Structure formats: structure tokens, C-alpha cells
Amino acid sequence: MTPPRRQPARRRTAALATVPVAVAALLGAAGPAAPGTTGASGAGDPYFPLSGNGGYHVRHYGLTLRYDTSSRRLDATAVLTARATQRLTRFDLDLKGLKVTSVTVDRATAAFRRDGQELVITPRHALRRGRGFRVAVAYHGTPEPVTDPDGSADGWIPTDDGAFVAGEPQGAMTWFPADGHPKDKASYDFTITVPKGRTAVANGVLLGQHTAHDTTTFRWRETRPMAAYLATATIGKFQVERYTTRDGIQVYNAVDAREARAAAPVLRELPSVLEWESTLFGPYPFRAAGSIVDHAPDVGYALETQTRPVYDSAPGLPTLVHENAHQWFGDSVSLTTWKDIWLNEGFATYAEWLYTEQHGGRSAQRAFDALYARPASDGLWAYPPGDPGSGARIFGTPVYARGAMALHELRRAVGDRDFLRVLRAWATGHRGGHGTTAQFVRLAERTSGKQLEGLFRTWLYAPGKPDSP
């Protein structure tokens, strides 16, 4: 994600995505949950305690969406294929707003109720540990974005011709029921029906599209594991470009006509950017790539939605480099807690520095020096990137810029050869999975043969401006 460029005054006060408890809606009958058989209502993340859930792992989401851009009504069904990780008599899904009309578990009607952002489901029969099961949720309503702790909006954000859909960190729940924490990754199928003349763009490969009467249906599939916040179903009037790179990557670009002229020269660089990043970080981790360039002037950021970043306006080349570097660092290798977000943003920012350095621009050292010259009172040193302290700070300058500075200090300490070996080993060794800062530190020490704990303690965790490097 690129850091938010603006914080419109009309945005609501920052909140932790809580909503009033809805009146319980019950279908079927179920007894009380036995002790120890209730799935947790959150994944245990200290910054977003209600994000994600416990007791199961989702393997696949099948999302069928119908969106009317005039009324802004969404009619949808989500089918989740999951596996119980404990005995379950009750479990939760994350879902904010929207009216749920029915829930089934393995085709049997299940009881459900709403509790803030939690959809609490009680299956007719308990699910034993290790059992696979399917949950189908039918729902509808007018999706609205959530206001994040930093005051920015994410999730399903209406636009003048559709919707800009970007879910970091917690917006997935605004348009589909999910296990919404990055720790739980799954494959996805999307079937999206929109008014004729609109295009619906999701993740992965386009399987087909079909127009009948006054609507068009698009079918997308992402087979590689994906965190819920990286899913998109962006809708608008787009100019579409499709091609395959010489490495066999299927590229799909969707561009709002109002941004097309400014976006064209940058999007032409996408194949060379992906090739350059593949040389440094290892093979591109997905089958598909591309860009969604919307005209959404009130959003204020871009996001690395998996396989196909979404931009609120025509991006510059550094932003294109940044969001596509995330395909390795953040999308393929996902964080385990939001506290470790520097593993996403520091890495993508440093990719910008490396690209500029290797394409005739200023060196990474000069970029580092320019930042280090800022006084101790500057916001860059306001808090350490390895522990921002709250969800309100995860997209702040320290996470991006000081996170990149930490990587540059690592590069200086171990040399270019070992530094690039570390980046490549991180991206390939954790491909499709997760990572933590502690694991990255161990990898860097093992690869270089050096003790680096002090370096990382200083640049990731020490408060204030570090002493002169």
C-alpha cells in the first residue's frame, strides 16, 4: 500500500470497525455451546483484536456478487470451504453491515446472530476437529467502507461509476463474510454481475465474461493462497488491455478513461518492472498480473490487491514498482501480525530505492542520507517501525521510510551479495505463506554469518532517532 496522501476532513472519526449490535436473527434450533467448543471471535492480533476468527481454517471462498451501480445494492452469496481446527459448536465470520438472510452449514440450516462485526453461526450438529465443512451465507444491502484507526476508508468504497474495493487492513468484511486476518489465506472464485457497460475486476485469471440483456457477468479465479484484505471486486467503466508477458504471466489492465492518458506510459513499464523484480526476488509468485486504475479522488491511496494492484488515480512509476514489489512482500509472503507490517511496507519502499538506483537515479545511500538528515523532532522518528504501537500508525512514515532504512543498514552490514540472497531467500522460502520479523532476523544472520540483533534492535525497535550510522 502507498501511504495515504490525504485525510479529508469530512471523514468520520477513526474507529476500530465496531458497529452496533444487531437484533439476533435465528434460523433453526441449537443448544448452548459447550465449554471449549466455541471458535474465538478474533485471531488474537493486538492491533485489530476482532479481525479474523478461531477454530477453523478457510480453504476456499466462492463469492457470487450482483451489484447495481445505480442503487448501490449488493446481492450476494458466499460459500466458504473450511476445516475445523478444534471441535466446534459455534464459530464466527467477520461481516460488517449487510443483511444476512440465510446460513447453512453442509446444506443444513444453521442458527445465526449478529454481534457487531461478528456473524455468529451455530451449526445444527457439532463439527469435529479436522472435519471439512462448507458454509453458505446469503446476504444483501448497501456496502459501506469502514473507517480505519488512521481516519482513512477501506473496504467497498462507492465511486461515481461503480466501486473501488481495497480491503487493507480490515475492509474485506464490508462486502463478504470472511476469516479476515492475514493469518488465514485461501483460494478464491468470483462471479460478479454488473450493469452492461461496466467491468468487474477481481484477482487472478479471468475465466470468462458473458453479457445477457442488460448485465454482464465476469468470472475470476485466484488459485494461490490469498489473505482476505487483498481480495478486490472493483467495478467501473474501464478500458481493458490484455496480453501475456514472455514469462507467461497473464496481464489484465483496467483503466478509467479519465486516467488513461496519464497511466499509459507507466503501465507500459509493467513487464520490465516485473522482470526486474523477479531477477532480484525470485520468480513472480502468481499466474496473473496487471493494474486497476480507477478515478477515485477521495480515496487517497493505492493497494497491492493480489495479482492486480488497484490505484485511485494514474500511478507514477515509483508507485507501480512499490505495489508490484508487494506481490512478493506482503501478498505471497504475508505478515503474521499487523505489528510486523514493516515487512510489507519497508520492503516495498526499499524496492523503490533499488529500482531508482539501478535505473540511473539516485543511490539508495543518498535516499538514506536525505532521510537521516531530518531532525530528531521529525515524524520519521516518532515511533519504531517494528512496533508502531497501534492500528492508527501502521501506515505512517516510520513504517515505510525507517523500515526501508533498516534494510539499507542491513545491506551495508552484510554486503550486496548476501543482502540480495536474504531478500530472495525470504521471498522464495516463505512463498505462499507467512513470516515474522524474528524469522527474518534469523535468516539474515544465517545467510551472512553475522550477529545482527543489535542492528535490528536499533533500527526497528529503539525509540527516537538512532545514533549516526
Side-chain angles (χ1 to χ4, degrees), residues 73-86:
R73 177 185 169 98
L74 176 69
D75 291 277
T77 301
V79 178
L80 287 65
T81 304
R83 179 180 59 82
T85 58
Q86 65 177 68

Side-chain angles (χ1 to χ4, degrees), residues 2-71:
T2 52
R5 294 191 295 273
R6 61 188 79 92
Q7 301 278 336
R10 62 179 175 274
R11 284 186 177 157
R12 294 166 288 171
T13 303
L16 285 174
T18 58
V19 295
V21 176
V23 176
L26 296 176
L27 288 177
T37 64
T38 299
S41 61
D45 194 289
Y47 291 179
F48 298 95
L50 291 179
S51 176
N53 300 286
Y56 63 92
H57 161 59
V58 181
R59 295 175 172 175
H60 182 75
Y61 291 87
L63 304 179
T64 302
L65 314 172
R66 177 180 290 267
Y67 188 64
D68 186 320
T69 54
S70 296
S71 66

Side-chain angles (χ1 to χ4, degrees), residues 226-362:
M226 181 168 72
Y229 82 88
L230 296 169
T232 190
T234 294
I235 297 163
K237 296 179 180 179
F238 295 125
Q239 299 174 0
V240 173
E241 174 189 34
R242 301 178 67 179
Y243 61 89
T244 302
T245 71
R246 62 185 182 183
D247 293 328
I249 301 168
Q250 298 182 43
V251 175
Y252 187 104
N253 292 326
V255 183
D256 188 295
R258 293 166 287 186
E259 304 290 340
R261 183 174 180 180
V266 177
L267 297 188
R268 279 198 294 269
E269 300 299 321
L270 179 59
S272 64
V273 167
L274 293 177
E275 185 174 354
W276 175 81
E277 290 177 334
S278 296
T279 300
L280 266 63
F281 310 141
Y284 181 72
F286 307 114
R287 293 177 55 198
S291 309
I292 307 169
V293 182
D294 208 344
H295 181 75
D298 291 335
V299 171
Y301 60 82
L303 179 66
E304 61 274 13
T305 45
Q306 188 159 307
T307 70
R308 192 161 295 109
V310 59
Y311 305 92
D312 67 328
S313 61
L317 184 56
T319 301
L320 188 84
V321 171
H322 182 107
E323 302 303 343
N324 283 284
H326 274 309
Q327 303 306 308
W328 286 263
F329 305 113
D331 293 12
S332 177
V333 184
S334 298
L335 43 73
T336 304
T337 68
W338 286 106
K339 176 181 176 180
D340 279 339
I341 193 170
W342 86 277
L343 290 169
N344 295 7
E345 302 301 349
F347 283 50
T349 301
Y350 200 72
E352 293 181 54
W353 296 11
L354 288 173
Y355 186 88
T356 301
E357 177 179 88
Q358 295 185 17
H359 290 80
R362 73 174 180 176

Side-chain angles (χ1 to χ4, degrees), residues 359-381:
H359 290 80
R362 73 174 180 176
S363 67
Q365 183 62 54
R366 286 181 59 196
F368 178 97
D369 292 342
L371 288 168
Y372 191 77
R374 296 185 182 184
S377 59
D378 189 87
L380 173 62
W381 318 112

